[in-house]
Amino acid sequence: MQIVRDLAGYSLGRSDLVRRAMSKKKHDVMEEERKNFIYGLVDDKGNVIVPGCVRNGIDETVAGIIFNQMMDFASYAFNKAHAAAYAVIGYQTAYLMRYYPAEFTAAMLNSFIGNADKCFSYLRFAKSLGISVVSPDINASEFKYKVKDGNIVFGLGAIKGVGRNMVDALVETRNKGGRYKSIMDFIERNTASGLNKRAVEALIRSGAFDGLDGNRAQMLAVYEKIMDSFTQKSRRNIDGQVSLFGDLLEDDDTVQIEYPKLREFDHKDLLFMEKEMTGMYMSGHPLDEYEETLRTAVSHKVSDIQTENREILDDVRDDAAMFADEMMKKSGFKDGDRVILGGMIRDISRKITRNSAMMAFMNLEDLSGVIECIVFPKTYDKVVAYLKEDSIVLIRGRLSIKEEENPKIIVESLGDLVPEKNTKLYLRFRNMDDAKLMVRALRPVLTTFSGETPVIVVASDKREVMQLAKELWIDGDSPVIRMLMDKLGEENVKLVES
């Protein structure tokens, strides 16, 4: 900026103001300084603060040309040392990504451990590269994410309620004594390490014990009893503590607890447990069964709009925002474009406007990413029935694209996203009156085994057909089919592939 000071007679502070405006691409500030640069600046008393080019004997036209060059530079100015450093990091990153993609991604996950949205982004990125991500595993995971056999193993430190000291202790116990054989073996070997019930429940719900005997429903039913039993046993075995009946109890001091005969939770419930504990879906995604429907029903995926470039580079604020804005322009999207998106509603926040009207903010998550959606008051009343956490919906709306902000969707309409079904269950009755009576009686059974298979009632006398409400659809893989056959007769219950 020495040239600027010499030409216009700027002070050090004033010239630094121009430098910062150039580096931040603030064209409005630059335009304000044009007059000062060429003609100078005086205060209210006529004292010269900045002489300007003209006072320094430089032709007005020449001064304008010089300032125009600075304006052009302000369109994209970048510090040379900064650029060189970025280039080195860029080459290093490219090398690691090319030859060690799993290790590089695991390192990025560890840098954001505890930030579920960032980790989800990188896990999705890993899967797009064909890198498998192993769910939490009590016999394989450590506190941080790691790479094993080319796969990324989930870090137990990303599970809510499980601290560093506890994970380090259970990993050390595993390394010394070998793999855990059951949840009972796990609790017995770690009771002395200060294991607490909250952490064990979190590990169960996250799926960390899925490789052991028993299902999550069974483990959740007995883990507290197991922990209490081993805590009592540990107290009895404290050195120096003598029991009057010690000799009699010695042979019966083994903890014996059996799993109750419980059916495992529905797959959807297991996924929500994982999401609750880790902030991510690990063994699947609630939208997996809607994948084909999403492909045909929507105009774009979230990732088409909310580019990964903006999300990952967001920490380098100025450069990332500018780069993402350029990417958005190149993608062909512009403010006001209409789009159709499908996915699951997350993080609903309702607000009351100054006019006492309701509006809502929410995130829409599909299989490719997450985008913010806004429901203004004029739309709110029309769609309020669908504004439920974890609802799977189809959204029609307009893009809102502004500088230095992530793209958003202005919601215009909202409705259920109904998956394409390959099977339907037909229940045949003599007439529709009999059908309605039986459906009323079967309602508790149907809701117990609820799912995504439509149930169609057929009346033989008039060949009438009626599809039951979605709340009475069933899980086609559950025992309910056999139960209905036993109740209504096999000839009256048909599961038909469409």
Side-chain angles (χ1 to χ4, degrees):
M1 297 307 294
Q2 184 64 41
I3 296 175
V4 176
R5 295 178 63 192
D6 292 342
L7 292 175
Y10 272 29
S11 65
L12 179 62
R14 195 86 194 178
S15 62
D16 193 55
L17 184 149
V18 176
R19 181 196 63 78
R20 282 186 281 118
M22 290 170 68
S23 66
K24 299 294 183 181
K25 293 84 182 169
K26 294 182 177 179
H27 291 83
D28 53 342
V29 177
M30 290 292 292
E31 284 296 344
E32 290 175 8
E33 287 298 315
R34 177 187 291 275
K35 183 179 178 181
N36 299 335
F37 178 83
I38 298 174
Y39 303 108
L41 179 66
V42 296
D43 61 17
D44 295 338
K45 297 179 180 179
N47 298 318
V48 176
I49 300 173
V50 175
C53 289
V54 174
R55 281 193 181 89
N56 284 337
I58 299 170
D59 182 76
E60 180 181 344
T61 304
V62 174
I65 293 172
I66 294 171
F67 198 85
N68 286 338
Q69 290 178 338
M70 291 196 294
M71 285 292 293
D72 292 339
F73 186 66
S75 295
Y76 189 71
F78 208 83
N79 180 278
K80 188 174 181 179
H82 200 180
Y86 264 122
V88 172
I89 294 173
Y91 275 109
Q92 292 172 338
T93 302
Y95 178 86
L96 293 172
M97 276 299 303
R98 172 65 179 84
Y99 295 103
Y100 303 96
E103 289 80 0
F104 178 82
T105 308
M108 294 305 299
L109 285 164
N110 286 326
S111 69
F112 291 110
I113 201 163
N115 184 331
D117 287 337
K118 286 283 188 182
C119 286
F120 177 66
S121 237
Y122 282 103
L123 287 174
R124 191 171 66 245
F125 174 68
K127 290 178 180 178
S128 73
L129 296 177
I131 301 170
S132 297
V133 180
V134 179
S135 297
D137 186 341
I138 202 65
N139 279 319
S141 298
E142 297 178 2
F143 182 80
K144 291 187 174 182
Y145 293 87
K146 68 176 185 177
V147 176
K148 184 177 181 181
D149 300 327
N151 301 322
I152 296 176
V153 181
F154 194 91
L156 298 180
I159 300 175
K160 298 174 184 176
V162 181
R164 178 67 183 256
N165 292 337
M166 185 173 297
V167 174
D168 289 345
L170 68 87
V171 169
E172 183 180 358
T173 301
R174 183 182 72 202
N175 292 339
K176 288 180 179 178
R179 294 171 61 85
Y180 295 112
K181 301 178 180 65
S182 65
I183 189 171
M184 189 174 292
D185 176 45
F186 170 82
I187 293 173
E188 180 178 18
R189 290 163 61 183
N190 288 283
T191 296
S193 301
L195 196 66
N196 62 72
K197 293 180 179 179
R198 181 187 174 195
V200 174
E201 181 181 356
L203 289 168
I204 295 171
R205 294 170 72 86
S206 70
F209 293 112
D210 284 0
L212 307 180
D213 292 338
N215 58 46
R216 293 188 210 177
Q218 293 172 318
M219 292 180 189
L220 287 172
V222 301
Y223 80 94
E224 290 186 276
K225 187 175 181 181
I226 295 173
M227 293 187 73
D228 290 340
S229 298
F230 280 116
T231 300
Q232 292 172 11
K233 178 182 176 181
S234 179
R235 288 172 182 167
R236 290 198 298 269
N237 292 336
I238 295 175
D239 291 340
Q241 181 173 322
V242 179
S243 170
L244 179 63
F245 303 102
D247 293 338
L248 297 176
L249 293 172
E250 187 175 354
D251 293 335
D252 298 323
D253 205 26
T254 303
V255 175
Q256 296 290 341
I257 296 176
E258 294 183 358
Y259 287 132
K261 293 181 179 180
L262 292 176
R263 176 174 169 265
E264 179 60 297
F265 297 110
D266 291 337
H267 182 58
K268 189 178 293 186
D269 293 330
L270 295 177
L271 291 177
F272 283 125
M273 284 184 187
E274 295 168 4
K275 179 68 182 295
E276 180 186 4
M277 292 296 103
T278 68
M280 294 166 274
Y281 299 108
M282 296 304 304
S283 59
H285 196 287
L287 292 173
D288 286 342
E289 63 184 286
Y290 293 82
E291 187 170 3
E292 186 59 35
T293 305
L294 286 168
R295 190 177 292 115
T296 57
V298 305
S299 63
H300 299 88
K301 296 182 294 185
V302 167
S303 60
D304 296 334
I305 303 167
Q306 186 72 295
T307 62
E308 206 70 29
N309 295 310
R310 177 186 288 273
E311 188 172 337
I312 291 176
L313 294 177
D314 194 44
D315 296 317
V316 193
R317 291 292 176 186
D318 296 328
D319 301 323
M322 180 186 62
F323 179 68
D325 289 338
E326 289 299 318
M327 291 295 293
M328 187 60 65
K329 291 173 185 175
K330 291 178 181 179
S331 69
F333 290 108
K334 59 182 184 298
D335 188 53
D337 280 353
R338 281 186 160 76
V339 294
I340 303 173
L341 299 176
M344 185 166 55
I345 294 177
R346 288 174 39 186
D347 309 321
I348 301 174
S349 173
R350 291 175 169 83
K351 303 290 183 184
I352 300 176
T353 67
R354 286 179 293 181
N355 297 326
S356 300
M358 290 294 297
M359 65 179 297
F361 299 86
M362 64 185 186
N363 288 327
L364 181 76
E365 176 183 330
D366 69 4
L367 291 167
S368 70
V370 180
I371 192 167
E372 184 180 354
C373 301
I374 304 173
V375 184
F376 285 115
K378 64 180 181 180
T379 307
Y380 183 88
D381 291 337
K382 301 175 186 176
V383 304
V384 65
Y386 300 99
L387 293 178
K388 299 175 183 176
E389 198 78 21
D390 300 322
S391 291
I392 297 173
V393 298
L394 191 70
I395 287 178
R396 287 179 169 82
R398 291 179 290 106
L399 272 176
S400 174
I401 300 176
K402 297 180 181 178
E403 288 188 14
E404 299 185 1
E405 287 186 15
N406 286 326
K408 298 178 178 62
I409 303 296
I410 308 301
V411 177
E412 294 180 334
S413 67
L414 191 62
D416 284 328
L417 177 67
V418 181
E420 294 180 1
K421 294 297 160 189
N422 296 321
T423 58
K424 294 180 181 179
L425 180 68
Y426 288 86
L427 304 180
R428 186 175 64 182
F429 298 92
R430 188 173 52 183
N431 55 56
M432 195 54 73
D433 289 337
D434 288 351
K436 291 178 180 179
L437 288 172
M438 185 55 70
V439 167
R440 192 175 297 121
L442 290 172
R443 175 178 283 271
V445 176
L446 298 176
T447 53
T448 299
F449 296 97
S450 62
E452 299 296 336
T453 300
V455 180
I456 312 288
V457 170
V458 179
S460 300
D461 60 347
K462 296 182 180 179
R463 296 182 180 273
E464 292 179 280
V465 177
M466 177 180 69
Q467 179 172 299
L468 300 187
K470 188 176 180 181
E471 64 189 45
L472 298 178
W473 291 6
I474 55 96
D475 179 359
D477 297 323
S478 70
V480 71
I481 304 294
R482 172 48 56 187
M483 295 169 63
L484 291 170
M485 286 180 174
D486 293 341
K487 180 72 175 177
L488 305 176
E490 291 191 16
E491 70 280 5
N492 296 318
V493 180
K494 298 294 180 183
L495 192 61
V496 178
E497 292 187 3
S498 56

